[in-house]
C-alpha cells in the first residue's frame, strides 16, 4: 500500500493504475484519508482552478466507492492541495531535468565525440568499427526522439484527455481514453530506462567490444509490444469514435498545435519503431562477422523484432506506412508536391551513393527521395531530388548497384555491399520494367 501511494505522489505513468488499485483495497481510516489526498494529486497539476479540482476529485471518490458524505472537507482540501502542489512541482522539476538531460546528453555519448575518440584510437573513418558505430549512433539519436514522442503521448495527450474525461458532463469516460492509449504508458516507462542503458552501452563501445543486441533480449520487451500491436486496431477505432465528440476533438486539436504533433501518428510510433529496430539489427548483422562474440546477440534481437512484426495486420502496416510519410514530410526543409497524398506508401530508407554522391534516401511506392545526409539521421534534411518511379526502367549494374532510368535521366545507385543491395532489390525489382 505504501509503495502504491509513493507511485501516486511521484506522478509516474503508473499513477492512474495505482490509484485504482488502492480503490479496490479494504483500507483503514488512515489510509482512506491518504487515498483522498492521492486522488487530489492526480489533478492538481492538470487543473488550476480549485472549484474544478474539487468537483473532479469528488466525482473520482464516488467512483472509488467513497460515499457522498465522506468527501473531503473544504479546509482539509485546501491544506492537502498546498502540500501536494509542492510535491508535484518538485517532481515536475526533476522530470524536466531528466528530459533536458536526454535532449542534451553528456559529451561521451555524442556522435561527434565518439567518432573523434575512435579516430584518436587509430581507426580510419572507413573502418568496420566506425561503420557499425555510425549505425549505433543513428539508433541512439532516433531513440532519444522516440522517447520524447512517448513522453508527449503520455504526459500531454493521455494525462490531459484523462483529466477531461473525469470532468462532469464531459461526455467521455476514462475507460474509453484508456482504450485509445492501450499499454503506451508501460512502453514509455520501459524506454526511458532503455535509453539510459543504450547511452551507457554506446559510450563504452570499441573495436573489440560491440555489445548491443543483448539489450533487446528482455522478455517483457516482446510481451508489451505484442500486446500493443494486438490492441492497435481497437485503439485507433476508439480514437476515431472519440474524435466525433467535440470536447475530445477540441482538446486534441489544441494539444496537437501546442506540441506540433499528431495523435494518430504518435499512437503508431511504437509500431514504426519496431520496424526501425529490425532495420538497425539487419544493418549491424551485415557489418558484423559471424565469428564476433556479439553476432549471435544481434541475430536473436532481429528474430525478436521479426516475431513482433509478424503480428502486424495489413491494415496496420498501411497506417504505419502513411504515418512514416507524415514524419518524412515533417523533416524535409523543401517538400515535393502532394507528398502526403493518401494512396502513397513508404517502403524503405537508408544510405546509398547516387551518381557517386552519398545521400540518405527514402523509397516510396512511386518516388525515390534523395536527401542530403551528414551521416546521421537528423531532425531536418534537405531534399535534393525526387525521382519518379512510375514507368521507370530499373536494371542491375553489378552486385551492389542498379540503374534507374526515369524522366529522360539516368541514375546509378550504389550500396555499400551486395548483401545490403539484395535487401533493397527486393523492393526495387517490383518497379522493374
Amino acid at each position: 500500500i505504501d509503495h502504491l501511494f509513493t507511485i501516486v505522489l511521484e506522478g509516474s505513468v503508473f499513477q492512474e493504475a495505482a490509484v485504482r488499485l488502492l480503490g479496490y483495497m479494504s483500507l483503514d481510516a488512515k489510509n482512506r484519508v491518504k487515498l483522498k489526498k492521492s486522488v487530489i494529486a492526480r489533478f492538481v497539476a492538470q487543473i488550476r482552478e480549485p472549484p474544478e479540482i474539487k468537483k473532479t476529485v469528488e466525482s473520482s471518490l464516488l467512483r472509488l466507492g467513497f460515499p457522498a458524505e465522506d468527501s473531503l472537507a473544504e479546509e482539509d482540501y485546501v491544506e492537502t492541495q498546498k502540500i501536494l502542489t509542492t510535491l508535484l512541482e518538485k517532481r515536475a522539476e526533476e522530470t524536466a531535468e531528466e528530459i533536458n538531460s536526454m535532449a542534451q546528453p553528456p559529451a561521451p555519448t555524442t556522435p561527434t565525440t565518439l567518432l573523434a575518440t575512435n579516430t584518436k584510437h587509430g581507426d580510419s573513418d572507413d573502418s568496420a568499427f566506425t561503420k557499425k558505430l555510425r549505425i549505433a549512433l543513428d539508433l541512439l539519436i532516433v531513440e532519444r526522439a522516440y522517447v520524447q514522442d512517448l513522453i508527449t503521448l503520455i504526459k500531454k495527450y493521455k494525462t490531459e484527455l484523462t483529466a477531461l474525461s473525469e470532468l462532469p458532463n464531459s461526455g467521455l469516460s476514462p475507460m474509453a481514453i484508456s482504450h485509445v492509449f492501450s499499454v503506451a504508458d508501460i512502453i514509455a516507462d520501459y524506454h526511458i530506462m532503455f535509453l539510459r542503458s543504450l547511452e551507457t552501452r554506446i559510450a563504452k563501445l570499441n573495436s573489440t567490444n560491440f555489445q548491443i543486441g543483448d539489450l533487446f533480449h528482455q522478455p517483457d520487451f516482446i510481451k508489451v509490444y505484442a500486446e500493443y500491436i494486438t490492441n492497435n486496431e481497437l485503439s485507433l477505432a476508439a480514437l476515431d469514435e472519440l474524435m466525433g465528440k467535440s470536447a475530445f476533438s477540441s482538446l486534441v486539436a489544441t494539444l496537437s498545435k501546442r506540441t506540433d504533433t499528431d495523435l494518430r501518428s504518435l499512437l503508431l510510433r511504437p509500431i514504426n519503431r519496431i520496424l526501425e529496430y529490425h532495420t538497425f539489427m539487419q544493418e549491424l548483422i551485415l557489418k558484423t562477422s559471424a565469428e564476433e562474440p556479439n553476432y549471435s546477440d544481434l541475430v536473436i534481437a532481429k528474430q525478436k523484432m521479426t516475431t513482433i512484426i509478424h503480428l502486424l495486420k495489413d491494415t496496420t502496416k498501411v497506417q504505419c506506412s502513411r504515418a512514416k510519410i507524415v514524419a518524412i514530410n515533417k523533416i524535409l526543409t523543401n517538400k515535393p508536391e502532394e507528398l502526403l497524398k493518401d494512396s502513397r506508401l513508404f517502403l524503405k530508407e537508408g544510405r546509398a551513393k547516387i551518381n557517386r554522391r552519398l545521400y540518405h534516401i527514402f523509397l516510396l511506392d512511386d518516388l525515390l527521395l534523395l536527401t542530403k545526409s551528414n551521416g546521421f539521421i537528423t531532425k531536418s534534411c534537405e531534399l535534393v531530388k525526387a525521382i519518379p518511379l512510375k514507368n521507370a526502367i530499373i536494371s542491375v549494374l553489378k552486385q551492389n548497384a542498379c540503374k534507374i532510368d526515369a524522366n529522360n535521366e539516368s541514375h546509378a545507385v550504389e550500396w555499400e555491399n551486395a548483401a545490403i543491395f539484395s535487401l533493397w532489390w527486393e523492393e526495387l525489382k517490383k518497379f522493374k520494367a
Side-chain angles (χ1 to χ4, degrees):
I1 288 174
D2 288 342
H3 184 58
L4 288 173
F5 279 123
T6 300
I7 291 173
V8 173
L9 290 175
E10 287 184 345
S12 79
V13 292
F14 295 106
Q15 187 185 59
E16 180 183 349
V19 168
R20 293 192 180 193
L21 281 171
L22 287 165
Y24 296 143
M25 295 179 178
S26 298
L27 302 178
D28 57 25
K30 181 179 177 181
N31 277 322
R32 283 175 68 80
V33 172
K34 203 170 181 180
L35 178 56
K36 292 179 188 179
K37 295 179 180 180
S38 300
V39 171
I40 292 180
R42 292 180 58 199
F43 303 103
V44 167
Q46 301 160 16
I47 311 170
R48 291 300 177 186
E49 292 299 322
E52 288 187 15
I53 300 176
K54 194 170 192 309
K55 287 180 183 178
T56 305
V57 169
E58 289 177 346
S59 64
S60 296
L61 289 173
L62 287 171
R63 275 194 292 275
L64 288 170
F66 284 86
E69 61 274 12
D70 201 21
S71 60
L72 221 59
E74 188 68 32
E75 59 273 17
D76 293 335
Y77 162 77
V78 172
E79 184 59 31
T80 304
Q81 184 189 14
K82 288 179 182 177
I83 296 169
L84 292 176
T85 300
T86 303
L87 286 169
L88 288 171
E89 285 177 353
K90 181 180 178 183
R91 177 61 184 165
E93 288 173 5
E94 292 171 354
T95 303
E97 287 174 5
E98 289 177 8
I99 294 171
N100 288 334
S101 68
M102 282 187 271
Q104 299 176 344
T109 54
T110 62
T112 304
T113 306
L114 277 173
L115 288 175
T117 302
N118 175 53
T119 304
K120 289 176 186 176
H121 291 165
D123 290 317
S124 70
D125 189 53
D126 291 327
S127 71
F129 170 63
T130 303
K131 290 173 181 177
K132 289 194 292 184
L133 183 57
R134 286 184 179 276
I135 296 172
L137 291 171
D138 275 349
L139 174 64
L140 175 59
I141 291 168
V142 180
E143 187 68 21
R144 286 173 179 158
Y146 178 45
V147 169
Q148 292 286 4
D149 285 342
L150 291 173
I151 289 171
T152 299
L153 182 63
I154 301 303
K155 294 292 185 182
K156 297 297 182 183
Y157 283 95
K158 184 178 182 182
T159 298
E160 297 204 24
L161 289 168
T162 300
L164 174 66
S165 70
E166 299 278 5
L167 293 174
N169 304 319
S170 66
L172 305 171
S173 73
M175 186 62 71
I177 303 298
S178 178
H179 286 161
V180 170
F181 294 92
S182 182
V183 292
D185 48 358
I186 299 175
I187 291 177
D189 247 21
Y190 176 87
H191 278 276
I192 288 171
M193 294 184 290
F194 176 79
L195 175 59
R196 293 168 184 165
S197 300
L198 185 63
E199 287 179 326
T200 302
R201 185 68 63 84
I202 289 179
K204 296 177 180 179
L205 294 178
N206 57 57
S207 55
T208 58
N209 177 21
F210 207 93
Q211 200 76 17
I212 278 188
D214 62 304
L215 291 175
F216 295 86
H217 293 185
Q218 300 298 325
D220 288 344
F221 184 88
I222 286 186
K223 185 178 178 181
V224 71
Y225 272 96
E227 184 174 351
Y228 190 83
I229 287 172
T230 302
N231 294 341
N232 185 254
E233 200 169 323
L234 291 174
S235 168
L236 295 178
L239 174 63
D240 290 336
E241 182 178 347
L242 287 171
M243 285 299 287
K245 300 188 176 185
S246 59
F248 183 90
S249 59
S250 177
L251 181 53
V252 167
T254 300
L255 293 171
S256 178
K257 187 175 181 180
R258 186 190 306 166
T259 61
D260 191 26
T261 57
D262 173 72
L263 177 54
R264 181 177 288 271
S265 294
L266 287 177
L267 289 170
L268 290 167
R269 187 70 186 93
I271 301 175
N272 268 322
R273 190 60 181 144
I274 287 294
L275 299 172
E276 290 167 358
Y277 287 143
H278 186 270
T279 300
F280 279 122
M281 293 305 116
Q282 206 167 42
E283 290 185 5
L284 281 173
I285 287 170
L286 291 174
K287 290 177 172 60
T288 304
S289 167
E291 286 74 38
E292 292 185 44
N294 58 299
Y295 181 82
S296 60
D297 282 335
L298 293 172
V299 172
I300 293 172
K302 180 190 170 186
Q303 289 171 346
K304 289 182 179 293
M305 300 306 115
T306 303
T307 300
I308 299 172
I309 290 170
H310 283 162
L311 296 172
L312 288 174
K313 296 180 180 179
D314 289 339
T315 52
T316 304
K317 289 178 182 177
V318 170
Q319 292 193 68
C320 287
S321 173
R322 290 175 181 167
K324 180 67 175 179
I325 293 177
V326 170
I328 294 170
N329 185 71
K330 188 174 179 179
I331 67 172
L332 291 178
T333 54
N334 49 332
K335 312 177 194 306
E337 291 184 11
E338 298 182 354
L339 180 62
L340 297 177
K341 71 177 184 180
D342 289 343
S343 59
R344 182 168 283 141
L345 298 175
F346 166 82
L347 301 177
K348 203 169 182 63
E349 74 173 296
R351 297 189 189 94
K353 289 183 178 179
I354 316 292
N355 301 328
R356 298 185 177 180
R357 289 191 175 184
L358 183 64
Y359 296 97
H360 192 90
I361 60 176
F362 299 94
L363 178 63
L364 312 183
D365 62 347
D366 63 341
L367 286 175
L368 182 65
L369 304 179
L370 281 53
T371 66
K372 280 188 178 179
S373 168
N374 61 0
F376 301 102
I377 298 174
T378 57
K379 290 185 178 180
S380 65
C381 57
E382 180 185 348
L383 177 66
V384 177
K385 194 175 189 64
I387 302 174
L389 297 178
K390 187 178 181 180
N391 300 322
I393 299 174
I394 304 177
S395 56
V396 175
L397 281 179
K398 51 183 180 179
Q399 285 187 329
N400 67 326
C402 70
K403 184 174 75 167
I404 300 176
D405 292 307
N407 277 10
N408 299 319
E409 292 181 347
S410 185
H411 306 277
V413 188
E414 184 178 353
W415 285 265
E416 185 178 332
N417 56 48
I420 295 176
F421 170 63
S422 66
L423 297 174
W424 279 81
W425 186 247
E426 287 299 312
E427 299 293 348
L428 288 168
K429 69 183 180 182
K430 298 171 185 177
F431 301 98
K432 186 178 177 181

